[in-house]
C-alpha cells in the first residue's frame, strides 16, 4: 500500500467519539482505531492480543481556523511524531494530507495532572510520598529525554501533563516547544504571545531566553503544584508582581505535604543562576530513587 493509501485507510477506519477536552486549536476527541490499522511502531499499545480496537485521543483543528493556526497545528503534530519516550505522549498517526487535519495520539484516560490532583484532594485520596515522587520522576525523565534531543518545552506545568493507568504520567502540549539550533543553547522568543508567567524563570521574563535550565525552573513549579494538589502558584498575584518578589529573593513556600528533604531539591530548581539549578538527569534519578520498588496506586481509577 502506498503512503497515501495507508493514510486514507486510517481516516476511513478511525471512529470518532466524545469530547475529551478542548485545546488551543479545537476539540480533542476520543477515538477508536481498528487493530489492523494500528501502525507497527504503536502496536505495543495494544496490551491484550485479542483487543480488537485501540482507544486513542484525536486532536482536531476548527474548520474555520486561520492559515497560521493550521501551520502551527501541522508543525506541532510533526514535532510530536518525532518523540519516542515512555513519559512523552506518543503520536500514533498524523493525518495532515487533507482536511480535516487530525493528530491521533495515545489515550491517557484520566486527563491532566492538575485535574487529577484537584480531584484527589476533593475525594480525600491523599497521595503517599512515593506517589508524589513517582509522578515527578516520570516528568523529569520525559524532560531529560527532550533535553537529550535538544527540545526546550517552555510550557511545563501540571495542566500540560496527562495521567494514564497505574499513575503513568506523560508530557503533552508542545505548542510552545522549540528545537534549539545546533550552535546555541537557548531560544529567543521573537513575539510576545500569551505566556505562562507563573511557571517562567526570571531570565525568560527578563530576556526572553529559554533553555533546558529554564524548563527546570518550571519543573520546580510543577513539583510545587503536585505537592499542593493542583493549587494555583502565587495565588492571585499578578505576573509583574511575581517577577519583582522572585527577584527580591522570595520563593513559593513549602507545601505541607512536601517533606523537607524533597523541598530542598524543588527549591534548587529556583536558583537565580540557571547553571546552579539541578539538571533533569539528576532530578530524574533523585525522584526515581525515592519511588523505586514502592507501591503506587492507580489513582486515576480511584477518582
Ligand atoms: P492544546 O495543546 O491545543 O491546548 P491539549 O493538548 O492541552 O490541547 O489538550 C486539551 C485537553 O484535551 C487536555 O486538557 C485533555 O483533557 C485532553 N487531551 C489532550 N490529549 C489527550 C490524550 N492524549 N489523552 C487524553 N486526553 C487528552
Amino acid at each position: 500500500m502506498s503512503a497515501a493509501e495507508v493514510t486514507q485507510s486510517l481516516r476511513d477506519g478511525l471512529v470518532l467519539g466524545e469530547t475529551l477536552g478542548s485545546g488551543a486549536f479545537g476539540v480533542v476527541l476520543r477515538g477508536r482505531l481498528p487493530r489492523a490499522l494500528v501502525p507497527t511502531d504503536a502496536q505495543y499499545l495494544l496490551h491484550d492480543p485479542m483487543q480488537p480496537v485501540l482507544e486513542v485521543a484525536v486532536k482536531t483543528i476548527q474548520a474555520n481556523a486561520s492559515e497560521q493556526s493550521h501551520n502551527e497545528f501541522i508543525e506541532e503534530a510533526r514535532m510530536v511524531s518525532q518523540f519516542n519516550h515512555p513519559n512523552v505522549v506518543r503520536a500514533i498517526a498524523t493525518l495532515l494530507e487533507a482536511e480535516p487535519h487530525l493528530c491521533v495520539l495515545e489515550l491517557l484516560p484520566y486527563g491532566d495532572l492538575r485535574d487529577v490532583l484537584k480531584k484527589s484532594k476533593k475525594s480525600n485520596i491523599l497521595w503517599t510520598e512515593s506517589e508524589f515522587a513517582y509522578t515527578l520522576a516520570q516528568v523529569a525523565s520525559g524532560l531529560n529525554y527532550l533535553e537529550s534531543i535538544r527540545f526546550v518545552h517552555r510550557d511545563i506545568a501540571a495542566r500540560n501533563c496527562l495521567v494514564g493507568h497505574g499513575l503513568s504520567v506523560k508530557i503533552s502540549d508542545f505548542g510552545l516547544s522549540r528545537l534549539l539550533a545546533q550552535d546555541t543553547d537557548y531560544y529567543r522568543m521573537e513575539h510576545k504571545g500569551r505566556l505562562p508567567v507563573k511557571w517562567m524563570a526570571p531570565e525568560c521574563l527578563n530576556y526572553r531566553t529559554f533553555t533546558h535550565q529554564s524548563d527546570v525552573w518550571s519543573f520546580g513549579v510543577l513539583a510545587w503544584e503536585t505537592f499542593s494538589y493542583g493549587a494555583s502558584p502565587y495565588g492571585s498575584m499578578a505576573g509583574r508582581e511575581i517577577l519583582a518578589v522572585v527577584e527580591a529573593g522570595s520563593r513559593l513556600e513549602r507545601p505541607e505535604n512536601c517533606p523537607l528533604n524533597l523541598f530542598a531539591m524543588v527549591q534548587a530548581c529556583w536558583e537565580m543562576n540557571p547553571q546552579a539549578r539541578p539538571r533533569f538527569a539528576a532530578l530524574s534519578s533523585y525522584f526515581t530513587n525515592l519511588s523505586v520498588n514502592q507501591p503506587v496506586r492507580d489513582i486515576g481509577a480511584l477518582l
Side-chain angles (χ1 to χ4, degrees):
M1 250 204 290
S2 70
E5 285 166 336
V6 170
T7 314
Q8 193 54 51
S9 56
L10 277 168
R11 261 191 203 279
D12 295 342
L14 179 66
V15 179
L16 298 177
E18 81 268 18
T19 303
L20 287 165
S22 55
F25 300 105
V27 286
V28 180
L29 303 170
R30 193 185 269 269
R32 291 161 73 84
L33 197 58
R35 181 182 187 86
L37 294 178
V38 177
T40 322
D41 60 357
Q43 285 194 357
Y44 73 96
L45 293 167
L46 289 154
H47 293 297
D48 174 354
M50 299 308 286
Q51 197 178 317
V53 292
L54 178 66
E55 298 253 23
V56 293
V58 184
K59 263 191 155 176
T60 64
I61 174 159
Q62 280 168 348
N64 59 355
S66 66
E67 194 183 332
Q68 192 192 340
S69 295
H70 275 280
N71 291 339
E72 284 170 11
F73 182 88
I74 292 173
E75 210 176 301
E76 186 177 333
R78 292 209 170 118
M79 183 160 56
V80 178
S81 7
Q82 298 168 40
F83 300 147
N84 178 14
H85 188 272
N87 301 115
V88 176
V89 170
R90 173 170 299 256
I92 294 167
T94 49
L95 305 176
L96 304 171
E97 78 307 335
E99 291 194 12
H101 293 324
L102 301 174
C103 181
V104 183
L105 300 166
E106 73 174 297
L107 175 75
L108 280 112
Y110 302 129
D112 75 71
L113 174 62
R114 178 161 189 256
D115 223 38
V116 168
L117 288 159
K118 288 179 82 138
K119 284 188 189 146
S120 301
K121 187 171 179 189
K122 222 171 156 190
S123 321
N124 216 10
I125 295 172
L126 300 183
W127 290 31
T128 62
E129 186 178 318
S130 43
E131 286 162 348
F132 285 126
Y134 183 52
T135 296
L136 298 176
Q138 293 176 79
V139 177
S141 165
L143 287 166
N144 188 37
Y145 163 75
L146 290 177
E147 174 172 355
S148 74
I149 55 166
R150 300 181 58 80
F151 269 91
V152 177
H153 188 285
R154 295 174 65 215
D155 199 4
I156 288 302
R159 64 178 174 277
N160 289 332
C161 296
L162 296 172
V163 180
H165 298 294
L167 197 56
S168 63
V169 179
K170 306 195 184 211
I171 298 166
S172 147
D173 208 334
F174 293 90
L176 293 180
S177 300
R178 293 291 182 277
L179 172 65
L180 295 183
Q182 271 311 322
D183 52 350
T184 56
D185 56 4
Y186 68 88
Y187 169 77
R188 189 181 301 275
M189 203 183 127
E190 301 298 345
H191 306 286
K192 274 208 171 148
R194 272 170 60 83
L195 289 172
V197 171
K198 289 178 168 188
W199 284 261
M200 282 164 67
E203 71 274 11
C204 302
L205 292 164
N206 283 326
Y207 311 114
R208 293 176 290 141
T209 53
F210 294 78
T211 61
H212 304 301
Q213 292 310 99
S214 58
D215 276 351
V216 167
W217 178 291
S218 312
F219 172 84
V221 181
L222 175 147
W224 182 93
E225 293 180 275
T226 304
F227 287 111
S228 312
Y229 290 99
S232 178
Y234 308 99
S236 57
M237 216 188 257
R240 236 174 295 115
E241 243 180 295
I242 296 170
L243 180 60
V245 295
V246 164
E247 287 190 317
S250 286
R251 293 294 183 269
L252 289 164
E253 281 175 23
R254 180 174 70 88
E256 64 176 316
N257 304 296
C258 181
L260 280 171
N261 53 335
L262 268 79
F263 195 57
M265 195 60 159
V266 173
Q267 274 185 310
C269 298
W270 304 324
E271 285 284 347
M272 211 59 192
N273 171 6
Q275 297 316 314
R277 297 172 200 155
R279 304 287 300 263
F280 282 123
L283 287 161
S284 163
S285 356
Y286 178 78
F287 288 110
T288 301
N289 286 336
L290 288 174
S291 56
V292 78
N293 297 330
Q294 299 292 319
V296 295
R297 293 166 295 168
D298 188 353
I299 290 190
L302 301 175
L303 298 172

